[in-house]
């Protein structure tokens, strides 16, 4: 799941009419996997922060879910 999440953050730079460019994608990735512990330093707070930033960029609720 961590690999897929990281891949998702990286892929945001390629979205059609991207609201997140390569620079922001790199910043989001750094928030998740950056630091001296890498993914081992990941916390729920970091994930919540990144989720909020993505939701804000796309104008959706950070609590939005999908079932497909």
């Amino acid at each position: 799941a961590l690999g897929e999440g990281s891949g998702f953050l990286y892929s945001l730079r390629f979205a059609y009419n991207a609201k997140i460019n390569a620079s922001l994608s790199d910043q989001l990735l750094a928030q998740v996997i950056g630091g001296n512990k890498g993914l081992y330093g990941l916390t729920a707070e970091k994930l919540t922060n990144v989720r909020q930033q993505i939701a804000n960029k796309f104008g959706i609720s950070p609590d939005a879910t999908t079932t497909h």
Side-chain angles (χ1 to χ4, degrees), residues 8-9 28 31-32 44-58 60-65:
F8 171 76
L9 291 175
L28 294 172
Q31 290 176 45
V32 172
E45 183 179 337
K46 286 181 181 180
L47 290 175
T48 300
N49 184 15
V50 168
R51 179 179 67 181
Q52 181 69 50
Q53 290 177 66
I54 294 168
N56 288 346
K57 275 293 192 184
F58 287 96
I60 59 174
S61 168
D63 300 320
T65 60

Side-chain angles (χ1 to χ4, degrees), residues 1-67:
L2 293 174
E4 285 191 31
S6 299
F8 171 76
L9 291 175
Y10 183 79
S11 72
L12 288 172
R13 69 186 66 217
F14 303 110
Y16 181 73
N17 285 332
K19 296 182 186 290
I20 297 179
N21 59 22
S23 176
L24 183 53
S25 174
D26 287 341
Q27 289 174 24
L28 294 172
L29 274 169
Q31 290 176 45
V32 172
I33 63 175
N36 58 1
K37 292 184 179 180
L39 283 173
Y40 292 107
L42 186 60
T43 63
E45 183 179 337
K46 286 181 181 180
L47 290 175
T48 300
N49 184 15
V50 168
R51 179 179 67 181
Q52 181 69 50
Q53 290 177 66
I54 294 168
N56 288 346
K57 275 293 192 184
F58 287 96
I60 59 174
S61 168
D63 300 320
T65 60
T66 183
T67 59

